[in-house]
Amino acid sequence: MIALASDHGGLELKRSIMEHLQSKGLEFKDFGTYNEDSCDYPVFAVSAAKSIVSGECGRGIFICGTGIGISIAANKVPGIRAAVCTDTYMAEKCRAHNDANVLALGARVLDTSRALKIVSIFLSTDFSGKERHSRRVEMLKYLDSQMLN
Ligand code: RB5
């Protein structure tokens, strides 16, 4: 299950991504926002992020105008590794090197075609599991555990 979240700035792109996921037969859950009214991205980022930490969802795709605000909000939730990606190289590396569990996109930065390519790479790339990358991701998890105490 893929967790989706956006603010008003990311709503249109989120709808395109939902159509894309549906066409691929991929399941998702949309945590809002659901209309064009101006709203606050941390609200939707945090509820969708919690669904990933709880295990209800495996990965997330979060969208705002730039991808920046919603990624900052998501990364406040221990266990979340959200990466803003503007190209497929970043999408591949955030999975292979960082084991990112949230892809953050900027709807005012990317055209839809590029965004959908980024989504596809993010969803199809596994964590490499190489020792140096595992060690670094374990360090990130340790930092999360320190923040909880
Ligand atoms: C909303 O206008 C915009 O600030 C928001 O979508 C996002 O870009 C913030 O990082």
Side-chain angles (χ1 to χ4, degrees), residues 34-80:
Y34 304 111
N35 61 51
E36 278 81 9
D37 297 347
S38 181
C39 62
D40 302 325
Y41 53 78
V43 174
F44 307 101
V46 167
S47 52
K50 283 182 177 171
S51 80
I52 295 169
V53 175
S54 73
E56 180 190 0
C57 294
R59 287 185 209 167
I61 302 170
F62 297 2
I63 310 139
C64 66
T66 59
I68 295 171
I70 208 155
S71 66
I72 292 172
N75 278 316
K76 300 287 180 198
V77 178
I80 294 298

Side-chain angles (χ1 to χ4, degrees), residues 2-148:
I2 299 162
L4 297 180
S6 77
D7 69 356
H8 54 289
L11 184 63
E12 198 179 322
L13 178 56
K14 184 175 67 177
R15 287 177 174 152
S16 298
I17 290 171
M18 288 197 268
E19 278 175 27
H20 175 76
L21 297 177
Q22 254 159 2
S23 76
K24 304 272 175 208
L26 296 170
E27 290 194 317
F28 58 83
K29 181 169 176 180
D30 181 12
F31 289 84
T33 188
Y34 304 111
N35 61 51
E36 278 81 9
D37 297 347
S38 181
C39 62
D40 302 325
Y41 53 78
V43 174
F44 307 101
V46 167
S47 52
K50 283 182 177 171
S51 80
I52 295 169
V53 175
S54 73
E56 180 190 0
C57 294
R59 287 185 209 167
I61 302 170
F62 297 2
I63 310 139
C64 66
T66 59
I68 295 171
I70 208 155
S71 66
I72 292 172
N75 278 316
K76 300 287 180 198
V77 178
I80 294 298
R81 291 178 299 284
V84 187
C85 295
T86 54
D87 59 35
T88 53
Y89 179 83
M90 294 170 82
E92 185 196 337
K93 296 306 175 194
C94 82
R95 287 290 309 129
H97 291 189
N98 313 115
D99 200 13
N101 49 14
V102 170
L103 169 66
L105 296 173
R108 296 173 184 156
V109 179
L110 302 166
D111 62 39
T112 305
S113 151
R114 179 187 281 240
L116 295 181
K117 284 182 193 145
I118 292 170
V119 165
S120 294
I121 296 292
F122 176 77
L123 294 177
S124 63
T125 306
D126 290 328
F127 179 52
S128 78
K130 285 185 180 154
E131 194 280 331
R132 66 184 185 282
H133 297 308
S134 296
R135 183 177 71 241
R136 293 160 190 161
V137 171
E138 286 308 312
M139 291 169 80
L140 296 176
K141 291 180 180 173
Y142 175 74
L143 290 172
D144 275 341
S145 72
Q146 291 299 294
M147 299 302 158
L148 286 171

